[in-house]
Amino acid sequence: MGTVVAAAVETAERFRALVVSGALELPLPGHGATGARWAALSALGAENLTVARLAEGHTDAAAILAELAGVTTQPGTLWGVWAAAPGTLRAERAGSGWRLTGSRKWCSGAYTCTDALVTAVGPDGPALFHARVGAGVEPVPDTWLATGMAASDSGTVEFTDAPAEPVGRPGDYTARPGFWHGGMGVAAVWLGGARGVARELDRLAEPDAHQFAHIGAVDALLATGQAVLDEAARQVDAGPGEPAEQLALRVRAAVERVATEVLDRVGRATGAGPLSLTAEHGTRVADLQVYLRQSHAERDLARLGELAAAQW
């Protein structure tokens, strides 16, 4: 068994164990304990980003189902949210049900998840559907070639006349405040990933003045990221039904910047050694770099600028 395959198998097993143990039954966002929810996701990110990626998708699916359908996930089911580029899937009525056709890239847990929430374009526009992985929902081999997040079981999934059930009405998925609450949950995992990368600083035997400067900067960065998340959690719990797009874009931009600078400073403080000689650290760095690109970068900043300018 190759190293990457073994890591993916281990990731899937750890994810499954978390679900079965009930460890991923987290407080729903906006119900008074959003900070605890994000702290749990962040802790998973600090431990292992690929496991955290699958766990975040599962917990997001649970929150979406609760908000849009008033239901909970069934025991033992492993959920993903495969919602990138809704136009890649087509939804058509078939008798009393629906069928999905097309392909979807970037599906984390493609071989591991039993169920997924997927976006598709139907007669009334983009909508969210529940599909069960299996016949008609097949992962495509060798469609994730990157080093980063290699163990997250990500790739393309092909939908061929796959039976599906609508979740909410067309447009509900992105229109609700919970869409943005979930986006901030991703930022919590980013921050945890940055904490995991920063642990390499603990291995510096006798830091010199320059390394101490990097350690101090990283400490301030991580504290800032945590403060941003804590304040956002407070706001979400105080107004769970309030529009949250601007708040989420602020949080994601701030945490992305924190994580990016942590990556840079840890690398400058420790040099090439850990990246070339420590598999765990090298994997953490590569995973975080890929995961951060779930941000839409300048496009998100431009949208944040539009929202901010309207208030000035």
Side-chain angles (χ1 to χ4, degrees):
M1 183 182 294
T3 302
V4 172
V5 173
V9 170
E10 181 181 356
T11 292
E13 291 176 348
R14 292 174 69 180
F15 169 48
R16 187 175 293 106
L18 287 171
V19 173
V20 172
S21 71
L24 296 186
E25 295 175 8
L26 304 182
L28 295 174
H31 284 63
T34 302
R37 175 186 179 87
W38 292 348
L41 291 174
S42 189
L44 287 171
E47 178 187 350
N48 186 304
L49 269 176
T50 55
V51 174
R53 175 66 190 92
L54 300 184
E56 184 277 322
H58 179 88
T59 59
D60 190 35
I64 294 166
L65 289 168
E67 186 172 359
L68 292 184
V71 299
T72 60
T73 58
Q74 294 298 307
T77 54
L78 311 177
W79 287 75
V81 179
W82 301 340
T88 61
L89 287 184
R90 185 175 70 256
E92 297 180 339
R93 292 187 181 276
S96 60
W98 289 83
R99 298 280 174 166
L100 304 181
T101 301
S103 61
R104 174 60 45 81
K105 294 181 180 179
W106 305 304
C107 299
S108 295
Y111 285 92
T112 305
C113 290
T114 61
D115 297 76
L117 296 178
V118 298
T119 48
V121 177
D124 299 316
L128 188 70
F129 294 86
H130 166 209
R132 292 176 175 82
V133 181
V137 183
E138 301 286 348
V140 181
D142 302 321
T143 49
W144 186 269
L145 305 179
T147 300
M149 301 301 284
S152 66
D153 183 23
S154 295
T156 298
V157 172
E158 189 74 28
F159 293 76
T160 307
D161 198 29
E165 305 162 11
V167 179
R169 299 166 300 180
D172 280 356
Y173 170 60
T174 55
R176 65 200 170 89
F179 175 78
W180 298 105
H181 301 163
M184 287 183 274
V186 172
V189 182
W190 292 346
L191 186 63
R195 291 189 188 280
V197 170
R199 288 174 181 166
E200 193 62 29
L201 296 172
D202 294 338
R203 300 185 182 183
L204 292 171
E206 296 181 6
D208 59 27
H210 296 290
Q211 290 170 324
F212 272 126
H214 286 302
I215 293 170
V218 167
D219 179 70
L221 286 163
L222 293 175
T224 299
Q226 188 62 58
V228 167
L229 277 172
D230 288 345
E231 173 57 19
R234 186 195 66 78
Q235 292 186 43
V236 168
D237 284 335
E242 295 297 316
E245 181 183 9
Q246 185 173 11
L247 176 63
L249 291 174
R250 284 174 180 166
V251 168
R252 286 167 65 90
V255 174
E256 179 191 355
R257 186 169 182 178
V258 164
T260 298
E261 188 167 347
V262 168
L263 283 166
D264 182 58
R265 286 190 173 274
V266 171
R268 293 167 71 88
T270 60
L275 289 172
S276 57
L277 301 175
T278 306
E280 181 179 2
H281 178 68
T283 298
R284 286 183 189 277
V285 169
D287 288 347
L288 183 56
Q289 288 175 327
V290 170
Y291 202 0
L292 286 174
R293 296 283 48 86
Q294 191 170 340
S295 157
H296 298 136
E298 277 67 28
R299 288 180 176 81
D300 282 351
L301 290 176
R303 175 57 181 161
L304 178 57
E306 291 175 2
L307 295 170
Q311 298 176 338
W312 291 358

